[in-house]
């Protein structure tokens, strides 16, 4: 029988159609595979062609590459499971084609014609179907008209079959309504955080024996990190500054090249208030001159803040046509209306910054420091290759110190060291990953310095003796005692709530939340508060011990949404759609796999390998 693809029910399966069309017809610009190999396998009597497989695989690789922001290779796609997913979908599609043919479902010429004429890819400049564009587009895909129209018939028939499979799928109303009510439920709660000030008893004074016992019971807190003994050589621009110091003539040339940094023309501190018209600006100026308003009030009238009109310190050329008047004014002054780039404006001239010149002799020291450092970086860059060749030729660190300006040093490195050469991220990264058997190699640091090093020893973590960390042990013991006291105080508060005494009546600073939504966020409290609130019953109290803080949480009330609540109804519709689509996907998957088993699958592994080899 011939069954055209009707519009009724298309919305239900549009997501299925998209998946099938992408895998079945995607892949612009992919050429046909030639040779005697025609298919990668068969499902019943339906073949999966090598061209369909190549196009689908290429399309999925390109789509995934766009998603991750970089082009992935075929081997990477196989590692991600993309290639297996493409094969699976193509064979399931073939099984569905077999089912459609067995049942007698097909797409007629009218339906195929409708879809071709309606495809945007085949339209010309006038927005209508263009035969030449149709042929060219198919050629770019590696298809001819016969192949494309056959694939389109198969996809259309498959869509009709799947529409029938999932036609009766619908989310149960009770399930959607129950989940929506659960999702939109809100809760009222109260919480109080306990601090050391809430303890009623002073901390006991620990004995040395108690502190030693605490030290022994908590070795992780008093164990040193792994350290690495490193011998290194390095050369920084600062080490070559004297050698790279420029002469006086060079410094004077540099001073002249940067003269704008040392010679400043007179400037003004100015505010500019723009008006829609010159009449408006003049009216405002008249009121100001009559003492009826202030400049600050005029700014406020325009709905602005002083920061919005502040130009800062400006030169005469910064003010365009208003520059001469502003720089001729006696400070302080209000001028205008005068022109601006934005329209007529009033200008408040608040202060004069006189012209200033930093002479060469004063700038010389700073210029010399900057120039010598830059020259030293260039020297290091030109010598780096020579030094690298020396190391590669077998020179030791000691040889390098003797034969080059590089300086030697040693460091006991750990992740928290931030001084000397360990202040450079490049060195820290290299030191953290080094192995004792590694040979020294020259590397460049962030500021142009160069270095090489040898890892001489790795010192594993070890427990620091009590005598070395006695003060830290005492501090940790005190924190632990305070925490234990807070937990005990919190448990007492929970018991008191159970007897009807609210938190606010227990001398605790209490915060109340009126209607917390599921998944809501509470500022400045541990996330455990929200999670616990939706796992408690009304009237229940709990101790929250999280992120090093102790709180008491009381769930005051549970607010069930009304059946006609708009938010609940919106959630119900969205959930019903999600559940329906999920059920439909599962049903289509089960049906396709069953069809695959019924029709029988034969895979040509050699053909698959051939396609993959050509794609590499």
């Amino acid at each position: 029988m011939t069954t055209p693809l009707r519009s009724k029910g298309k919305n239900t399966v549009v997501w299925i159609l998209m998946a099938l069309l992408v895998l079945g017809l995607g892949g612009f610009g992919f050429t046909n595979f030639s040779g005697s190999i025609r298919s990668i396998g068969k499902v019943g009597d339906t073949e999966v062609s090598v061209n369909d497989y190549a196009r689908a695989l290429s399309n999925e690789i390109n789509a995934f590459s766009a998603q991750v922001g970089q082009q992935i290779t075929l081997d990477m796609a196989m590692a991600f499971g993309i290639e297996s997913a493409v094969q699976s979908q193509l064979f399931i599609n073939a099984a569905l084609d077999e089912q459609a043919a067995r049942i007698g479902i097909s797409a007629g010429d009218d339906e195929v014609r409708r879809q071709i004429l309606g495809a945007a890819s085949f339209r010309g400049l006038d927005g209508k179907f263009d035969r030449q564009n149709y042929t060219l587009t198919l050629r770019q895909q590696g298809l001819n008209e016969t192949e494309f129209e056959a694939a389109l018939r198969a996809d259309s028939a498959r869509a009709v079959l799947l529409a029938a499979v999932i036609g009766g799928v619908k989310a149960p109303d009770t399930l959607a309504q129950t989940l929506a009510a659960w999702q939109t439920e809100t809760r009222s709660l109260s919480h109080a955080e306990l601090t050391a000030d809430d303890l009623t008893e002073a901390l006991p004074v620990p004995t040395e024996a108690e502190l030693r016992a605490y030290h022994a019971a908590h070795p992780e807190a008093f164990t040193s990190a792994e350290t690495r003994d490193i011998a290194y050589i390095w050369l920084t621009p600062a080490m070559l500054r004297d050698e790279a110091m420029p002469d006086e003539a060079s410094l004077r040339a540099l001073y002249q090249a940067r003269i704008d940094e040392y010679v400043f023309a007179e400037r003004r501190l100015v505010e500019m208030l723009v008006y829609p018209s010159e009449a408006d600006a003049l009216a405002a100026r008249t009121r100001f001159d009559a003492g009826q308003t202030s400049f600050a009030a005029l700014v406020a009238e325009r709905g602005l803040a002083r920061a919005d009109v502040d130009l800062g310190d400006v030169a005469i050329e910064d003010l365009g046509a208003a520059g001469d008047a502003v720089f001729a004014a006696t400070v302080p002054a209000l001028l205008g209306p005068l022109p601006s780039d934005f329209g007529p404006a009033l200008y408040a001239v608040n202060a004069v910054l006189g012209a200033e010149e930093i002479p060469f002799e004063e700038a010389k020291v700073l210029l010399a420091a900057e120039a010598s450092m830059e020259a030293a970086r260039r020297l290091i860059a030109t010598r780096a290759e020579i030094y690298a060749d020396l190391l590669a030729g077998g020179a030791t660190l000691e040889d390098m110190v003797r034969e080059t300006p590089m300086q030697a040093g040693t460091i006991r490195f750990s992740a928290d060291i931030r001084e000397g050469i360990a202040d450079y991220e490049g060195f820290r990264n290299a030191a953290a990953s080094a192995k004792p058997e590694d040979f020294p190699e020259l590397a460049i640091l962030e500021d142009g310095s160069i270095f090489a090093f040898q890892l001489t020893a790795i010192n594993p973590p070890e427990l620091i003796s009590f005598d070395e960390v006695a003060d830290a042990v005492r501090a940790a013991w005190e924190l632990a005692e305070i925490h234990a006291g807070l937990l005990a105080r919190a448990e007492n508060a929970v018991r008191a709530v159970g007897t009807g005494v609210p938190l606010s009546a227990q001398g605790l600073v209490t915060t109340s939340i009126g209607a917390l939504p599921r998944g809501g966020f509470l500022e400045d409290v541990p996330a455990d508060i929200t999670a616990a609130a939706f796992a408690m019953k009304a009237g229940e109290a709990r101790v929250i011990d999280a992120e090093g803080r102790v709180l008491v949480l009381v769930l005051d009330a549970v607010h069930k949404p009304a059946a006609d609540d708009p938010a609940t109804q919106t959630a119900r519709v969205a959930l019903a759609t999600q559940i329906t689509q999920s059920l439909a996907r599962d049903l289509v998957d089960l049906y396709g796999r069953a069809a695959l088993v019924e029709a029988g699958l034969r895979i040509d592994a050699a053909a698959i390998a051939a396609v993959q080899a050509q794609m590499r």
Side-chain angles (χ1 to χ4, degrees), residues 182-249:
W182 176 86
Q183 188 179 81
T184 56
E185 175 185 284
T186 61
R187 301 195 166 200
S188 298
L189 56 96
S190 302
H191 63 82
E193 181 170 2
L194 281 69
T195 67
D197 293 336
D198 294 307
L199 297 179
T200 56
E201 297 181 2
L203 288 178
V205 178
T207 64
E208 182 175 331
E210 288 173 327
L211 294 177
R212 287 185 178 276
Y214 184 88
H215 174 264
H218 300 85
E220 69 285 350
F222 309 106
T223 297
S224 65
E226 175 188 278
T227 59
R228 294 174 158 232
D229 291 342
I230 292 174
Y232 65 89
I233 55 172
W234 67 332
L235 183 62
T236 70
M239 296 175 187
L240 294 182
R241 280 179 59 181
D242 292 342
E243 182 179 346
M245 185 65 68
D247 57 27
E248 177 112 350

Side-chain angles (χ1 to χ4, degrees), residues 477-556:
W477 179 90
E478 289 178 352
L479 287 176
E481 287 294 309
I482 290 172
H483 192 74
L486 295 177
L487 288 175
R489 175 76 170 86
E491 292 291 353
N492 290 336
V494 167
R495 285 191 288 270
V497 170
T499 64
V501 182
L503 286 179
S504 57
Q506 298 184 43
L508 299 176
V509 178
T510 305
T511 301
S512 296
I513 309 297
L516 178 69
R518 190 176 298 277
F521 171 75
L522 295 177
E523 192 173 1
D524 296 330
V525 296
D528 292 31
I529 288 281
T530 303
F534 281 87
M536 296 166 61
K537 298 178 181 179
E540 182 182 351
R542 285 189 184 180
V543 175
I544 305 297
D545 182 9
E547 302 175 13
R549 301 162 68 181
V550 177
L551 302 94
V552 178
L553 171 64
V554 179
L555 183 61
D556 298 321

